[in-house]
Amino acid sequence: MGQYNLMFEQEEFTELVRLYSELAKVADRQMNEYQMILDIINTNAVISGELHDKLEVYEDAVHTYQSILGESFREMSKKLNEFVRDVDEADGDIYGIGTYEAY
């Protein structure tokens, strides 16, 4: 079997962890605002009828999507963080084990 020489910039992955963490926060804030707008429409403008009922179903779907989206960003950040830690531990005898903080 051949040997592989894998090189990457840890700082780039650290930045990706930070960016995905930030994206999770931004997406959550934006989706909360969107849900609030839908709720205002549904409680003040369209208070009954078929459209009201469909808006309620849509609000539930938006809430589900918000959960999935936020969890996806957090999971990606977690996986990138684990990757950097694993590489840091694997090459620690060569470069020394660094201090790495997750976001």
Side-chain angles (χ1 to χ4, degrees):
M1 287 256 159
Q3 291 185 333
Y4 296 97
N5 187 10
L6 176 64
M7 294 177 58
F8 73 95
E9 292 292 325
Q10 183 171 339
E11 292 79 22
E12 290 177 8
F13 282 87
T14 302
E15 180 64 9
L16 283 173
V17 170
R18 188 192 68 72
L19 288 173
Y20 274 103
S21 296
E22 186 61 30
L23 277 172
K25 293 174 191 171
V26 168
D28 195 52
R29 279 193 309 266
Q30 294 296 321
M31 293 299 281
N32 279 335
E33 184 176 338
Y34 185 57
Q35 280 187 302
M36 192 169 45
I37 291 168
L38 288 173
D39 189 54
I40 289 169
I41 291 169
N42 214 24
T43 56
N44 297 316
V46 184
I47 57 175
S48 64
E50 192 175 331
L51 181 57
H52 170 81
D53 297 342
K54 288 182 179 185
L55 276 173
E56 283 184 334
V57 171
Y58 182 70
E59 279 185 84
D60 290 341
V62 168
H63 180 72
T64 300
Y65 180 68
Q66 176 185 12
S67 298
I68 292 168
L69 184 63
E71 186 56 36
S72 296
F73 284 131
R74 284 185 288 279
E75 185 66 22
M76 184 60 131
S77 180
K78 178 184 168 193
K79 293 295 182 187
L80 286 166
N81 185 32
E82 289 171 358
F83 174 73
V84 172
R85 284 181 188 259
D86 290 348
V87 169
D88 196 32
E89 288 174 10
D91 69 5
D93 58 333
I94 298 170
Y95 300 106
I97 294 179
T99 303
Y100 182 71
E101 294 182 17
Y103 288 87

